[in-house]
């Protein structure tokens, strides 16, 4: 994909009377004030030479011009603004609307200097960088290698500036986190919540929490755990100041335990309807085996309808009262309600790595690859399951609950990054206004991470994690996809959309450039795989 020259080199325009005139002087709004601007430039003494925006390099000072802003705090769009970033911090938001500027307001606009790079955001929307609250760092799938830069680059190109890693190779994750924080790795910020082994007694559980703290973990992730162990682990985590994400499955513990022990966020959903079943256990068929994933996911499609509606409201009320947040990850179950859609997502053509493609194929040895004999009846139950589930998430927020957004990609036909954008669409389907949907993926996720004074807002003093979007995501969340959208402008069909710039910690990354690199990674991996397959064919023929 070609890098649009005007975007990467926005520094100067043809000289006017020997002066290099920054692009913003051409804005309609300011054209009327151009003489005033020229006077100002002359006073300054000489033309200012700005630096070009270079993808992956942090300029000393960055000005994003003329942006319409959707803050992450659930308020409507406003603007335009000039946003000034110095180092990794948002230092200034200058309102450019006629009321704010007054009669000779052009002079109030931040002036470029020799160390300033500029991004023209005229007609574009600027949002806080998206946070993925349920991610897994994956440099292999099913034992086959997959370069980690593949995942990092797609995340950045999808506008993701931070991820909460809830289970991967902990040592690698911590090293990647530190390199990302230093700016030496092209990746979102990483918050590491290692997944527990299965401690068998209280002492080893407490010791494990302390050792994770000593390693530098940001939190812990619980999964498949007995109640007594969960209790001591949460107790120890609270003492150590570690936050707790709980994948609450259908097991001994359910949402009541999260409420009692003080879980930070419930991941997925099972334990919530399970806590609202009057008889204490779902009506499983006698042959059901939890470790058979086809059984497990099939009958999960019946779970919400078995929850008692009144008891469910009590569960939700109690989660709100005890500040247990909810990261539902709607996207990762979507194949269960519409398998064909999941298998034929358009971005697979250019961007699906062959290692991931292989992992997605039905295989009892791969988690989430359970589509054997998946029927229209299964999909119908799942569609009803989603309706009840979505209503519950909406009820939860209306009661004051904290809803986050994460995608759990790398499983069940969900690609990194694209999965989170699909998650946003599903939050809209659940009935949330797109303004709230964006809040879920930005400020709410920052609150879940305990980073609400630094991340998730377009606000002075916050970290410079921002995205510049070609289009209005409040009108159409699909404009966020790197593959863009088709539209009609001035009577002509155009292909538009996409996150043009993802700025993480003041470092701008050009989305289309990243996706071109991802495509190269995939093309090469497919060619390598083809070569390997050829060789296997020949050796088999020789036998
Ligand atoms: Zn997960």
């Amino acid at each position: 994909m070609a890098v649009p020259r005007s975007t990467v080199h926005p520094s100067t325009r043809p000289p006017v009377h020997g002066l290099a005139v920054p692009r913003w002087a051409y804005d309609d709004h300011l054209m009327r004030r151009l003489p005033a601007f020229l006077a100002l430039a002359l006073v300054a003494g000489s033309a200012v030479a700005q630096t070009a925006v270079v993808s992956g390099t942090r300029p000393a000072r960055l000005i994003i011009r003329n942006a319409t802003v959707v803050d992450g705090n659930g308020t409507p769009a406003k603007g335009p603004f000039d946003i000034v970033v110095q180092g990794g911090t948002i230092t200034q938001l200058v309102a450019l609307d006629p009321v704010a500027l007054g009669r000779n307001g052009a002079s109030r606009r931040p002036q470029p200097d020799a160390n300033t790079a500029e991004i023209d955001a005229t007609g574009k929307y600027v949002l806080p960088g998206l946070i993925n609250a349920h991610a897994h760092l994956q440099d292999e799938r099913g034992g086959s290698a997959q370069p980690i830069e593949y995942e990092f680059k797609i995340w950045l190109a999808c506008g993701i500036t931070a991820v909460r890693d809830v289970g991967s190779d902990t040592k690698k994750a911590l090293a990647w986190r530190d390199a990302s924080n230093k700016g030496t790795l092209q990746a979102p910020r990483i918050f590491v919540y290692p997944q527990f082994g299965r401690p068998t007694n209280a002492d080893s559980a407490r010791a494990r929490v302390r050792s994770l703290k000593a390693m530098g973990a940001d939190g812990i992730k619980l999964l498949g755990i007995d109640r007594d162990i969960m209790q001591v682990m949460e107790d120890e985590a609270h003492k150590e100041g570690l936050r707790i994400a709980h994948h609450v499955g259908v097991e001994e513990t359910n949402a009541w335990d999260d409420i009692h022990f003080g879980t930070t966020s419930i991941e997925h959903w099972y334990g919530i309807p399970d806590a609202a079943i009057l008889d204490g256990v779902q009506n499983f068929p006698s042959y059901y085996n939890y470790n058979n994933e086809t059984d497990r996911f099939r009958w999960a499609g019946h779970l919400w309808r078995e929850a008692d509606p009144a008891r469910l409201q009590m569960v939700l009320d109690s989660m709100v009262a005890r500040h247990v947040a909810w990261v539902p990850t709607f996207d990762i179950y979507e194949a269960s309600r519409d398998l064909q859609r999941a298998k034929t997502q358009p971005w697979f053509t250019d961007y699906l790595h062959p290692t991931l493609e292989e992992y997605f194929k039905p295989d009892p040895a791969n988690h989430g690859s359970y589509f054997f004999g998946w029927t229209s009846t299964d999909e119908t139950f799942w569609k009803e399951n989603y309706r009840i589930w979505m209503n519950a998430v909406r009820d939860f927020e209306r009661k004051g609950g904290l809803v986050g957004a994460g995608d759990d990609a790398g499983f069940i036909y969900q690609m990194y990054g694209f999965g989170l954008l699909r998650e946003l669409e599903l939050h809209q389907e659940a009935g949330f206004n797109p303004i709230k949907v964006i809040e879920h993926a930005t400020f709410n996720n920052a609150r879940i991470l305990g980073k609400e004074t630094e991340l998730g807002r377009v606000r002075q003093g916050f970290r410079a994690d921002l995205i510049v979007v070609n289009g209005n995501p409040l009108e159409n969340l699909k404009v966020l996809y790197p593959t863009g959208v088709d539209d009609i402008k001035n009577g002509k069909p155009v292909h538009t959309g996409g996150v043009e710039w993802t700025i993480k910690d003041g470092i701008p990354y050009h989305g289309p450039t990243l996706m071109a690199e991802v495509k190269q990674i995939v093309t090469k991996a497919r060619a390598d795989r083809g070569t390997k397959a050829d060789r296997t064919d020949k050796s088999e023929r020789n036998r």
Side-chain angles (χ1 to χ4, degrees), residues 1-3 351 510-523:
M1 235 170 286
V3 176
Y351 304 117
H510 188 243
T513 302
L514 290 168
M515 287 314 284
E517 291 165 5
V518 168
K519 191 174 173 181
Q520 276 175 12
I521 294 170
V522 170
T523 305

Side-chain angles (χ1 to χ4, degrees), residues 134 136 166 221 268 408:
H134 192 114
H136 297 277
V166 287
K221 158 84 175 295
H268 316 305
D408 205 14

Side-chain angles (χ1 to χ4, degrees), residues 55-118:
S55 185
T57 303
R58 175 161 52 205
R61 187 161 173 263
L62 175 69
I63 304 177
I64 304 165
R65 296 280 185 198
N66 213 23
T68 303
V69 169
V70 181
D71 199 346
N73 61 344
T75 55
K78 51 188 186 284
F81 287 93
D82 283 347
I83 304 165
V84 183
V85 169
Q86 264 168 305
T89 307
I90 301 169
T91 54
Q92 226 184 330
L93 281 158
V94 181
L96 305 181
D97 59 273
V99 171
L101 279 182
R103 282 189 205 292
N104 50 14
S107 61
R108 282 195 224 145
R109 297 190 75 171
Q111 301 299 313
D113 60 27
N115 297 317
T116 302
E118 296 199 2

Side-chain angles (χ1 to χ4, degrees), residues 349-367:
T349 311
D350 285 340
Y351 304 117
L352 178 60
H353 195 283
T355 296
L356 198 52
E357 183 177 12
E358 194 59 32
Y359 187 83
F360 287 159
K361 288 179 183 161
D363 182 345
N366 291 341
H367 174 49

Side-chain angles (χ1 to χ4, degrees), residues 30 193 227 231 236 255 346 376 435 440 445 452 466 535:
L30 281 165
Y193 283 51
R227 183 173 291 111
Q231 181 169 13
E236 197 66 26
S376 56
I435 294 172
H440 294 172
N445 279 350
E452 65 273 18
L466 301 164
R535 241 183 277 132

Side-chain angles (χ1 to χ4, degrees), residues 27 34 52 62 79 149-150 169 184 193 206 213 235 248 294 370 421 440 445 464 484 509:
D27 298 347
L34 194 59
L62 175 69
E149 63 163 328
Y150 168 72
D169 182 319
T184 55
Y193 283 51
R206 287 187 188 277
K213 173 74 178 183
D235 180 56
V248 52
T294 307
Y370 52 83
L421 302 179
H440 294 172
N445 279 350
Y509 294 96

